[in-house]
Amino acid sequence: MFSEDNSVHKFSRIKNTNLLDEDDEIYNTRNRQDQLLSNSNASSPYNDRSSSSPMDKSPWSSQTNVNVPFEDIDDNFSDNVLMGSLVREEGHIYSLATSGDLLYTGSDSRNIRVWKSRREFAGFKSNSGLVKAIVISDDRIFTGHQDGKIRVWKVSSRDPSVHKRVGTLPTMKDYIKNSMKISNYFEVKRHKNAVWFRHYDAISCLSLSEDKTFLYSSSWDKTFKVWRVSDCRCIESVIAHDDSVNSIVTGFDGLVFTGSADGTVKVWRRELQGKGTKHFFSQTLLKQECAVTAVAVNPDTTVVYSGSSDGLVNFWERENHLSHGGVLRGHKLAVLCLITAGNLVFSGSADMGICVWRRMGMDHICLSLLTGHNGPVKCLAAERDDESAATERRWILYSGSLDKSVKMWRVSENSVPVAWKGCASGAPIAIPSSLPAAPSFEARNRVDGIQN
């Protein structure tokens, strides 16, 4: 299990990779039998120092998966429940995204799986680079990879289960056109130069602007870049931090927030200049020794959240001029992912738990600690529960883990809080050694990938 004494561990950088892709493999999972990994430990990035994250993480020990299948739920249910698991024994889950009735999952197997109605619907694959991030803009899917590339995919008009790669960012045309100019190069290491419009290290996060005009990418190369969605051109590159940029998210009022392994959360102000942009540093919200591992924004309540490798979640409020609102204390190990939905905040951690927080006025209450994963919770995604009553706000939460599974939870904003609080104000609160878990249903049928 986890060792708190060794919960911070520094990993080496990945090696640089070639810019341009070979043809990515495109396939339909209904018509092809996939080759599953036979040795999960050998394929794990935690055992491959040349390809692991440079940010501080908590090491973990592999365990046998507990596969909780999906079963139909009747009307007599608890507020927050584990509905089931999506299991595909091929790699650790690093990224999630939802679009309508579709769920996209990315793993270190380089596969992007598409799930519909809790069944595997389609899949596509890049030829290199584990899938660190997925964002969806109308008919295009952008995936960020550990090889420093962003790949662009479109759904086939003939068959919605087929996804075709339509480009890689930066595009070959832009690379050839701009790489000839000496002014487009800058020094990244001693005696090593790189062009400003490409990431030379792993992409850590992707985010779309509010109007989906711009795509933001953050990287371990200490920069974030801005891409114009209409023509997929890189229009700006910002050296943002002194260490890896682990998270980037667009917010309100044209602001962009970045979190880094250098322990800071920074605010950037976007100004439009013609068809391009210019981002200016605005302020530093947080400066600490622990790495910032995740950042999220609630656009409705205009609150900014950041998670750190010390297990804490800090937050700031716009109505108080982005002053520090407090700290949420609910995890024993690093917070690896954060998202917001309605009045809820979800934090996933290396301690394998997910805290569900509800904002109440100027404070937060912990509604549940969701347990069930056997590895660190690496990514989260949420969507409204269409079956919820008009008077109740319920959400379907998806959690991806390094135990190679995606779990589905049903969470209500009206659920009764657990007995303890991870409140924002006041002195540190003692966390029980054994936190209560959300109730779950006993499994009947495992939801596996379709095998032919």
Side-chain angles (χ1 to χ4, degrees):
M1 293 297 292
F2 291 89
S3 171
E4 295 189 13
D5 295 334
N6 297 317
S7 64
V8 178
H9 184 73
K10 195 74 173 178
F11 289 83
S12 59
R13 296 276 185 171
I14 68 168
K15 296 181 180 179
N16 290 323
T17 58
N18 295 330
L19 173 71
L20 302 178
D21 270 338
E22 298 293 336
D23 288 336
D24 286 324
E25 184 178 2
I26 304 163
Y27 62 94
N28 179 354
T29 53
R30 297 182 306 177
N31 299 322
R32 175 174 175 178
Q33 182 175 7
D34 297 297
Q35 181 178 0
L36 302 181
L37 299 181
S38 59
N39 189 332
S40 61
N41 289 334
S43 64
S44 169
Y46 281 81
N47 296 325
D48 182 4
R49 295 184 178 181
S50 66
S51 63
S52 24
S53 167
M55 72 180 185
D56 294 339
K57 289 183 178 177
S58 301
W60 64 285
S61 301
S62 297
Q63 296 185 7
T64 304
N65 280 336
V66 177
N67 299 314
V68 183
F70 172 77
E71 68 173 9
D72 293 332
I73 310 293
D74 58 25
D75 292 333
N76 300 317
F77 60 88
S78 301
D79 287 331
N80 301 335
V81 296
L82 174 61
M83 298 172 63
S85 299
L86 306 176
V87 180
R88 197 74 155 101
E89 295 282 357
E90 63 181 7
H92 307 298
I93 307 298
Y94 276 84
S95 52
L96 295 170
T98 59
S99 177
D101 59 351
L102 300 179
L103 171 69
Y104 291 77
T105 64
S107 71
D108 59 1
S109 68
R110 304 174 314 209
N111 288 315
I112 299 98
R113 299 283 176 187
V114 188
W115 305 81
K116 184 176 182 179
S117 301
R118 302 177 181 91
R119 292 290 185 269
E120 188 171 349
F121 175 68
F124 48 102
K125 183 177 183 177
S126 65
N127 73 315
S128 64
L130 68 87
V131 188
K132 301 278 288 184
I134 306 173
V135 296
I136 301 170
S137 176
D138 299 326
D139 62 339
R140 280 182 289 185
I141 300 101
F142 297 91
T143 56
H145 298 258
Q146 186 155 340
D147 60 9
K149 300 171 186 176
I150 301 172
R151 293 171 172 89
V152 189
W153 312 82
K154 273 192 175 183
V155 179
S156 170
S157 58
R158 297 180 179 179
D159 187 346
S161 68
V162 174
H163 293 66
K164 298 182 179 180
R165 185 175 65 85
V166 295
T168 301
L169 306 185
T171 64
M172 182 180 297
K173 179 180 178 181
D174 274 350
Y175 182 73
I176 295 174
K177 179 180 177 180
N178 295 298
S179 61
M180 300 304 215
K181 298 180 181 179
I182 298 178
S183 59
N184 285 330
Y185 287 80
F186 69 103
E187 186 175 14
V188 295
K189 294 180 181 179
R190 187 177 181 183
H191 306 306
K192 184 175 180 59
N193 295 328
V195 289
W196 66 269
F197 51 86
R198 66 155 295 198
H199 288 296
Y200 65 89
D201 212 331
I203 289 174
S204 57
C205 188
L206 295 175
S207 180
L208 285 167
S209 60
E210 305 94 303
D211 58 3
K212 296 186 178 181
T213 302
F214 304 109
L215 173 70
Y216 291 81
S217 59
S218 63
S219 171
W220 296 349
D221 63 11
K222 308 178 186 179
T223 74
F224 71 82
K225 301 189 189 301
V226 188
W227 310 81
R228 192 164 51 224
V229 172
S230 60
D231 58 5
C232 293
R233 292 195 61 186
C234 183
I235 56 177
E236 189 180 2
S237 179
V238 179
I239 301 175
H241 290 271
D242 297 328
D243 206 335
S244 306
V245 186
N246 292 328
S247 185
I248 186 168
V249 63
T250 58
F252 37 81
D253 303 332
L255 299 179
V256 178
F257 303 89
T258 56
S260 169
D262 64 11
T264 64
V265 175
K266 292 184 178 181
V267 186
W268 307 85
R269 186 180 73 258
R270 180 177 67 236
E271 293 186 6
L272 299 180
Q273 297 183 351
K275 293 184 179 181
T277 65
K278 185 70 175 178
H279 287 76
F280 299 92
F281 170 74
S282 178
Q283 65 182 108
T284 299
L285 297 181
L286 179 68
K287 187 173 180 59
Q288 60 182 18
E289 292 185 2
C290 297
V292 176
T293 50
V295 180
V297 171
N298 188 321
D300 298 325
T301 59
T302 58
V303 180
V304 183
Y305 299 88
S306 76
S308 306
S309 61
D310 57 4
L312 301 181
V313 176
N314 287 269
F315 69 93
W316 301 262
E317 300 160 323
R318 182 185 69 170
E319 61 184 51
N320 292 330
H321 308 289
L322 288 178
S323 61
H324 188 252
V327 182
L328 308 181
R329 308 172 188 273
H331 295 289
K332 296 181 178 180
L333 296 175
V335 175
L336 301 181
C337 49
L338 278 172
I339 63 167
T340 65
N343 288 319
L344 300 181
V345 183
F346 302 96
S347 57
S349 171
D351 62 16
M352 303 184 288
I354 304 165
C355 280
V356 182
W357 311 89
R358 184 175 70 208
R359 178 172 168 81
M360 299 185 66
M362 304 298 289
D363 210 342
H364 293 72
I365 290 180
C366 185
L367 298 183
S368 295
L369 177 71
L370 307 179
T371 60
H373 281 294
N374 289 322
V377 180
K378 193 67 179 65
C379 49
L380 297 166
E383 61 182 359
R384 282 295 300 269
D385 183 359
D386 294 334
E387 298 179 0
S388 60
T391 57
E392 183 185 16
R393 298 187 73 180
R394 270 202 334 244
W395 302 87
I396 301 299
L397 175 69
Y398 300 95
S399 58
S401 169
L402 302 189
D403 65 8
K404 303 181 181 180
S405 76
V406 175
K407 296 193 181 297
M408 301 169 293
W409 316 81
R410 182 164 51 199
V411 181
S412 171
E413 294 188 19
N414 301 331
S415 59
V416 178
V418 295
W420 61 280
K421 291 183 179 181
C423 292
S425 56
I429 296 173
I431 304 298
S433 58
S434 178
L435 298 176
S440 62
F441 287 94
E442 186 177 356
R444 269 201 314 238
N445 302 308
R446 176 177 173 182
V447 181
D448 284 323
I450 300 172
Q451 295 289 315
N452 295 318

